[in-house]
Amino acid sequence: MINNIAGDVLISAGFVAYLGPFTGQYRTALCEDWLKKLEEHDVPHTREPNLISTLGDPVKIRSWQIAGLPNDTLSVENGVITQFSQRWTHFIDPQGQANKWIKNLEKENGLEVAKLSDRDFLRSLENSIRFGKPFLLENVGEELDPALEPVLLKQTYKQQGSTVLKLGDTVIPYHEDFKMYITTNLPNPHYTPEISTKLTLINFTLSPSGLEDQLLGQVVAEERPDLEEAKNQLIISNAKMRQELKEIEDQILYRLSSSEGNPVDDLELIKVLEASKLKAGEIQAKVKIAEQTEKDIDITRLEYVPVAVRTQILYFCVSDLSNVDPMYQYSLEWFLNIFLSGITNSERADTLKKRIVNINNYLTFSLYSNVCRSLFEKHKLMFAFLLCVRIMMNEGKINMDEWRYLLSGGAIKTMRENPAPEWLYERAWGDILALTNLKNFSSFADDFIDNIQEFRAIFDSAEPHREPMPGKWDSTLDSFQKLLPLRCLRGDKVTNAMQDFVAMNLDQRFIEPQTSDLTAVFKESTSTTPLIFVLSPGTDPAADLYKFAEETKFSKKLSAISLGQGQGPRAEAMMRSAMERGKWVFFQNCHLAPSWMPSLERLIESINPDKVHRDFRLWLTSLPSNQFPVSILQNGSKMTIEPPRGVKANLLKSYISLSDDFLNSCSKISEFKALLLSLCLFHGNALERRKFGPLGFNIPYEFTDGDLRICISQLKMFLDEYADIPYKVGMESWSALPLNGRWRDDWDRRCIMNILEDFYKPEVLTEDFAYSESGIYRQISTTYDLNGYIQYIKSLPLNDNPEIFSLHDNANITFAQNETFALLGAIIQLQPKTSTSGGRGREELVEETSKDILKKVPDPINLQEVMLKYPVLYEESMNTVLVQEVIR
């Protein structure tokens, strides 16, 4: 060890000094380069030296991990760099792991936490320097306050025998125990070289391999706590054994140095040597047991790798969603809670293989349903499709070139004549020619021409995504590859094909409407986690919240305020009072008070879980906004408030909010149930017509849940008060009262009256009355209870057929095409910007395209020849312009 210490410490010193800002893979690659240099120059070193084995203390590392340091190699290396760095550390920490670790680690030492935006952050820093406390400056940007310069550079000097430091205009005593930590939650900050020389930058950004490592440790700890306990006991006993050995060695050295005469005659020394021999034998036996336990742990860890891999794929799918909408923010802590509850709640199994399948299936759907609550309808299929594709990519089932083609199409290399211009658009034919550039589709254009009638049948089909492909293509293409020809021929049906693809490769549950209620969200919340309603235009969850407060007996303890200019101090006072008394506060329209949002963030962060009343809840509403604080979004429970998509989802939402008591509360139960179904169908119809653009309504009106509630209460009132059902009165009130002032177009009003006639007439009271030609949407027996109605609704088709809107099948085409390309566009935003495995990276593609373009570009024009032929003369100004253009 003494021989090798020079090389080992040299590598470790280089690691601490230089490798902090880099990722795990890059650190490994650099270390390997350094090792080659050591071998070239014959510097002695152990076979595979690394920072943790050279400088790391297992007992200390374990205490760090108890304080919240993740257990993957990168994080442990970061801990060792923090310990040995000569400069203050600056953590790049988008997931907040370093922040949490430092807060727990230094909690007992009186850690001071501040932000640059705090008014008194310099005073807090001054106190920490005076009294030798640790100081954490969190959430900094790309620039630091110049006032910090002397602290960062440790510009201390002696004054009257004591060490002092000048902070601003004040000279303050400098305590040797003072420590400073800085964290930023920016994912990829760009720091100037000056900052890099003043601080040790440490990269805490979570990488897929790092997260995999962490999750592997957690899943083994959950599934095999006996092994985890054995591992901890090992670390403790190893440290104890080392301590005992050191004490014995010290005794031997002391006896040898103090013994006089022949050491063999020193009985005390001989006793110590015998004890040492026995202890060494004990230690050797324990080391063998320790090695075996380590091997058992490693074998078990390897068996659970599929769970860690699947979970890290899910996490990075979720963390990328913020590129699509600023409100889609999810913290790692929130994700890990879902992960751990998934392991606990998933079904047990006899074999480990089956258990892993159960964990993966449960986790995937649990995460999907949790995230879906906070996604807008238009992004739910995109998320399910992305989950499915990323899982299949990891299994090597998707070709990256084919994936890129699906998202953004391709370029045509050789143009050919359109074989069927009478029905095949030029754009579609161009897409087919571009498709032939892919390896698996090289003969597709030729086969298309040979089987043109079969392809036309697909083109004309009502369900082209379910038609078999002509010739060899039906058997040679897998379910993903069949999306590519469909994209060329019928872009409007790609979303339907994606639904089938997700149902086949994941599960039918991933494409079913996900309904969520306040009870479920409330159960998961605590007094420190805000509950956030993410709004879409024309929605208001206030009525639902007031109703829920009444059910939970909190209606008298709920205070509400609509935020806006000057409302901040009032809202703050309201929140502080509610925290003490255990009330609920409801802050509406946070997007209207962007300047007060940092204050709200500070208020929420300052909530002390030990002091706040456990009944306190903070409810917030906001439209999507870049100004909304990320930390509130990441740590809160989010719900999107918008009308569901599709008649089926609308019906389901309407009926889930009802009860059997309500269905039976009318004097005319049978008529009420029949007309209620009619009314809910009409409401869904009116909402869904908007997606057809001017074919639905000239103006896209916003119909709310409040409109439906008013109509239902009116229906009940009419049935209770009139002996005969007043159809005419009902029609007038339904079309006018709740929608009063909204019908800005006479033709739209005429249209809605005609539609209403189909849903509000005596015939709808008869069982099996058909609302559509096919009879899919029909009246059912009024003997059913609420559950019977919900089961019927669940049996309806997922995608609406235009017949329910009395429209032609072709009405769907434009809407569906726009939907497809909007969905693909959203997925493009989620693609990594770096090169990817299993296919060519962006850099290679750009280089290849550049070479192609260069071949087509003509050689530069010879300037001398131009100037000879067209001399630059005063009277020939055009020649001057020509020469300037050639130079340019």
Side-chain angles (χ1 to χ4, degrees):
M1 187 179 164
I2 285 185
N3 286 343
N4 292 332
I5 204 161
D8 291 1
V9 171
L10 183 59
I11 290 277
S12 297
F15 208 111
V16 171
Y18 300 115
L19 299 192
F22 301 115
T23 59
Q25 289 169 319
Y26 202 81
R27 288 178 184 182
T28 309
L30 279 170
C31 280
E32 284 169 4
D33 283 354
W34 292 351
L35 279 176
K36 285 174 191 167
K37 292 288 178 193
L38 292 188
E39 281 160 15
E40 271 177 41
H41 296 287
D42 296 325
V43 178
H45 61 275
T46 48
R47 209 172 69 189
E48 283 184 357
N50 66 56
L51 179 72
I52 298 168
S53 60
T54 307
L55 297 180
D57 175 358
V59 178
K60 190 159 225 160
I61 290 168
R62 183 171 168 271
S63 71
W64 290 343
Q65 287 172 349
I66 289 167
L69 182 75
N71 53 11
D72 62 297
T73 311
L74 182 91
S75 301
V76 176
E77 286 172 356
N78 290 342
V80 177
I81 294 173
T82 305
Q83 183 189 354
F84 286 96
S85 172
Q86 300 287 309
R87 298 184 289 230
W88 301 133
T89 47
H90 185 335
F91 301 106
I92 297 159
D93 184 34
Q95 283 83 25
Q97 292 181 299
N99 204 303
K100 180 185 167 192
W101 170 53
I102 295 298
K103 282 178 179 174
N104 290 336
L105 186 71
E106 300 287 4
K107 195 177 186 178
E108 290 173 9
N109 302 326
L111 176 74
E112 287 271 354
V113 182
K115 294 187 178 73
L116 284 174
S117 56
D118 291 352
R119 277 173 293 215
D120 56 351
F121 99 89
L122 277 175
R123 190 175 300 149
S124 304
L125 177 60
E126 189 181 313
N127 288 339
S128 296
I129 295 169
R130 276 180 193 278
F131 303 114
K133 290 180 181 178
F135 181 80
L136 170 62
L137 185 61
E138 59 182 6
N139 298 356
V140 300
E142 293 188 340
E143 291 176 8
L144 296 177
D145 193 317
L148 293 171
E149 190 94 350
V151 185
L152 301 184
L153 294 172
K154 300 185 183 178
Q155 291 173 341
T156 56
Y157 57 93
K158 291 282 185 188
Q159 190 178 71
Q160 297 173 351
S162 59
T163 309
V164 293
L165 179 135
K166 192 173 183 185
L167 185 65
D169 299 329
T170 321
V171 175
I172 53 172
Y174 185 88
H175 199 293
E176 290 302 321
D177 290 341
F178 167 71
K179 288 179 192 169
M180 186 174 185
Y181 305 97
I182 302 174
T183 65
T184 178
N185 53 16
L186 298 174
N188 191 13
H190 177 74
Y191 288 112
T192 57
E194 292 79 46
I195 286 180
S196 305
T197 54
K198 291 170 195 166
L199 296 161
T200 297
L201 291 176
I202 299 182
N203 187 357
F204 250 96
T205 308
L206 201 58
S207 65
S209 56
L211 179 60
E212 219 170 282
D213 218 357
Q214 283 183 40
L215 294 168
L216 206 48
Q218 290 207 356
V219 74
V220 172
E222 286 289 315
E223 289 287 285
R224 292 290 304 275
D226 54 322
L227 282 179
E228 190 67 14
E229 182 58 32
K231 185 183 175 185
N232 287 335
Q233 288 303 323
L234 266 180
I235 292 168
I236 294 163
S237 63
N238 281 350
K240 204 174 173 186
M241 287 189 288
R242 278 204 204 95
Q243 188 63 34
E244 285 172 0
L245 257 182
K246 190 175 185 314
E247 282 170 11
I248 290 168
E249 283 170 5
D250 289 347
Q251 271 185 301
I252 293 169
L253 289 171
Y254 171 73
R255 289 285 170 199
L256 283 170
S257 61
S258 61
S259 74
E260 294 169 5
N262 192 342
V264 180
D265 298 335
D266 191 334
L267 289 173
E268 283 297 318
L269 177 61
I270 289 165
K271 279 179 190 172
V272 170
L273 285 167
E274 278 177 3
S276 161
K277 191 178 177 183
L278 281 169
K279 185 56 72 177
E282 271 178 50
I283 288 169
Q284 220 164 0
K286 283 182 179 175
V287 164
K288 279 185 181 173
I289 296 166
E291 283 172 357
Q292 187 55 47
T293 310
E294 282 285 343
K295 279 179 189 170
D296 291 348
I297 291 168
D298 289 341
I299 290 164
T300 310
R301 277 172 71 96
L302 285 172
E303 288 173 334
Y304 283 97
V305 163
V307 174
V309 170
R310 168 68 65 89
T311 314
Q312 69 88 354
I313 291 169
L314 299 180
Y315 174 73
F316 285 101
C317 278
V318 169
S319 66
D320 289 344
L321 287 174
S322 57
N323 295 328
V324 174
D325 191 289
M327 304 301 270
Y328 297 164
Q329 302 279 356
Y330 306 90
S331 70
L332 180 64
E333 200 173 337
W334 170 87
F335 178 81
L336 290 175
N337 286 337
I338 289 180
F339 171 68
L340 293 172
S341 70
I343 291 171
T344 310
N345 299 330
S346 54
E347 196 183 330
R348 300 276 152 190
D350 301 330
T351 63
L352 184 62
K353 200 173 180 181
K354 183 81 178 87
R355 171 74 178 139
I356 285 169
V357 170
N358 289 349
I359 292 175
N360 279 349
N361 290 345
Y362 186 92
L363 259 177
T364 309
F365 186 68
S366 169
L367 180 82
Y368 173 74
S369 49
N370 267 285
V371 171
C372 263
R373 264 207 316 248
S374 55
L375 294 184
F376 289 116
E377 289 292 329
K378 61 184 176 183
H379 294 137
K380 287 179 181 174
L381 175 61
M382 174 209 76
F383 180 57
F385 182 66
L386 191 70
L387 282 181
C388 185
V389 165
R390 291 261 178 101
I391 290 165
M392 290 175 74
M393 275 180 184
N394 182 65
E395 294 165 358
K397 292 179 180 176
I398 288 179
N399 177 295
M400 293 308 292
D401 288 337
E402 290 170 2
W403 170 241
R404 271 190 284 269
Y405 179 87
L406 176 69
L407 296 187
S408 52
I412 305 164
K413 286 195 174 171
T414 315
M415 196 63 205
R416 292 164 64 176
E417 195 181 339
N418 184 345
E422 67 279 2
W423 62 269
L424 186 64
Y425 300 117
E426 285 302 324
R427 178 180 170 175
W429 176 239
D431 286 345
I432 289 166
L433 292 177
L435 183 61
T436 55
N437 298 337
L438 300 174
K439 188 181 169 187
N440 293 323
F441 291 87
S442 53
S443 62
F444 189 78
D446 297 328
D447 280 13
F448 183 86
I449 295 166
D450 295 342
N451 298 291
I452 202 149
Q453 288 311 315
E454 288 90 331
F455 277 106
R456 177 157 193 183
I458 292 175
F459 181 81
D460 291 336
S461 169
E463 290 193 329
H465 56 293
R466 289 183 177 153
E467 295 287 337
M469 294 288 287
K472 64 175 184 179
W473 299 103
D474 199 52
S475 55
T476 54
L477 299 182
D478 61 30
S479 57
F480 176 77
Q481 289 169 327
K482 284 177 182 173
L483 294 173
L484 307 191
L486 186 68
R487 184 189 191 281
C488 302
L489 288 172
R490 287 288 299 273
D492 59 304
K493 289 293 178 183
V494 169
T495 45
N496 300 56
M498 283 178 179
Q499 288 175 338
D500 289 354
F501 174 78
V502 170
M504 183 195 297
N505 292 288
L506 271 183
D507 197 271
Q508 180 70 23
R509 296 177 297 171
F510 288 83
I511 58 168
E512 291 291 339
Q514 295 293 315
T515 53
S516 57
D517 59 347
L518 284 175
T519 316
V521 182
F522 182 72
K523 271 181 188 170
E524 288 176 19
S525 70
T526 65
S527 51
T528 56
T529 57
L531 296 109
I532 306 150
F533 295 110
V534 183
L535 308 175
S536 59
T539 56
D540 182 11
D544 289 334
L545 181 59
Y546 291 135
K547 184 183 170 191
F548 178 67
E550 211 166 287
E551 287 168 8
T552 48
K553 305 207 167 35
F554 263 88
S555 56
K556 289 180 181 168
K557 293 184 182 178
L558 172 62
S559 312
I561 186 171
S562 183
L563 293 177
Q565 200 168 1
Q567 294 286 14
R570 195 171 150 224
E572 189 169 332
M574 194 184 279
M575 183 169 160
R576 290 193 188 282
S577 161
M579 282 159 65
E580 287 173 21
R581 298 180 185 179
K583 291 184 173 184
W584 291 2
V585 283
F586 182 32
F587 294 163
Q588 293 173 280
N589 304 325
C590 292
H591 57 281
L592 298 180
S595 58
W596 189 68
M597 285 299 101
S599 305
L600 178 64
E601 185 178 14
R602 273 198 297 277
L603 271 172
I604 291 170
E605 281 179 1
S606 66
I607 297 174
N608 186 336
D610 302 327
K611 291 181 182 174
V612 69
H613 196 292
R614 63 191 179 90
D615 287 340
F616 166 73
R617 289 294 182 279
L618 173 62
W619 303 82
L620 307 169
T621 73
S622 174
L623 282 170
S625 164
N626 287 322
Q627 305 291 322
F628 202 94
V630 171
S631 67
I632 299 179
L633 288 169
Q634 287 191 339
N635 300 311
S637 294
K638 297 180 289 296
M639 272 180 80
T640 46
I641 303 296
E642 64 172 338
R645 289 185 87 183
V647 172
K648 175 181 179 176
N650 269 295
L651 280 173
L652 204 55
K653 186 184 179 191
S654 303
Y655 270 83
I656 275 176
S657 64
L658 303 175
S659 66
D660 274 317
D661 292 344
F662 180 74
L663 289 185
N664 299 318
S665 63
C666 182
S667 57
K668 301 183 180 74
I669 293 174
S670 177
E671 289 86 344
F672 179 57
K673 284 183 176 180
L675 287 170
L676 181 63
L677 179 64
S678 245
L679 176 55
C680 292
L681 256 174
F682 165 69
H683 178 71
N685 190 311
L687 276 171
E688 291 303 306
R689 281 184 76 86
R690 295 176 305 173
K691 71 185 180 187
F692 298 108
L695 289 177
F697 292 121
N698 291 328
I699 298 166
Y701 301 97
E702 297 291 347
F703 305 112
T704 66
D705 292 343
D707 295 333
L708 180 63
R709 275 196 298 273
I710 291 168
C711 289
I712 291 173
S713 59
Q714 281 184 339
L715 171 65
K716 187 169 177 295
M717 182 183 76
F718 291 151
L719 292 178
D720 284 339
E721 292 183 6
Y722 288 81
D724 297 324
I725 299 169
Y727 290 103
K728 195 168 182 185
V729 177
M731 273 187 64
E732 280 301 321
S733 62
W734 283 9
S735 66
L737 265 174
L739 309 167
N740 201 14
R742 246 177 242 173
W743 297 112
R744 298 194 295 278
D745 187 283
D746 290 339
W747 295 104
D748 284 344
R749 179 165 167 74
R750 181 172 141 176
C751 174
I752 203 78
M753 290 298 286
N754 274 284
I755 294 166
L756 192 46
E757 271 181 34
D758 294 336
F759 290 91
Y760 196 52
K761 55 185 179 183
E763 289 89 332
V764 301
L765 300 180
T766 55
E767 196 177 324
D768 287 335
F769 167 78
Y771 293 100
S772 62
E773 277 182 40
S774 62
I776 294 169
Y777 299 91
R778 66 181 196 281
Q779 186 60 263
I780 59 169
S781 169
T782 52
T783 56
Y784 283 117
D785 62 355
L786 180 65
N787 192 44
Y789 275 91
I790 288 173
Q791 291 311 313
Y792 161 67
I793 292 165
K794 285 184 175 176
S795 71
L796 294 173
L798 189 62
N799 299 308
D800 306 327
N801 194 319
E803 64 167 19
I804 184 65
F805 309 106
S806 308
L807 294 171
H808 189 273
D809 284 354
N810 285 356
N812 249 342
I813 292 175
T814 308
F815 152 72
Q817 277 182 340
N818 294 341
E819 188 180 39
T820 294
F821 291 109
L823 190 147
L824 294 175
I827 295 176
I828 288 171
Q829 289 180 293
L830 299 176
Q831 294 315 293
K833 304 291 183 282
T834 54
S835 58
T836 48
S837 57
R840 293 167 301 166
R842 281 161 61 102
E843 290 81 2
E844 292 173 64
L845 288 168
V846 169
E847 195 179 330
E848 195 177 294
T849 312
S850 306
K851 284 175 183 171
D852 288 347
I853 293 168
L854 276 175
K855 284 176 193 170
K856 295 172 190 173
V857 174
D859 294 329
I861 301 167
N862 188 318
L863 182 65
Q864 299 306 319
E865 282 181 19
V866 172
M867 289 179 77
L868 280 170
K869 193 169 182 183
Y870 304 100
V872 177
L873 302 169
Y874 178 74
E875 59 274 12
E876 290 288 348
S877 59
M878 288 299 287
N879 289 4
T880 308
V881 175
L882 173 66
V883 169
Q884 286 174 341
E885 288 298 322
V886 169
I887 290 168
R888 193 159 65 176

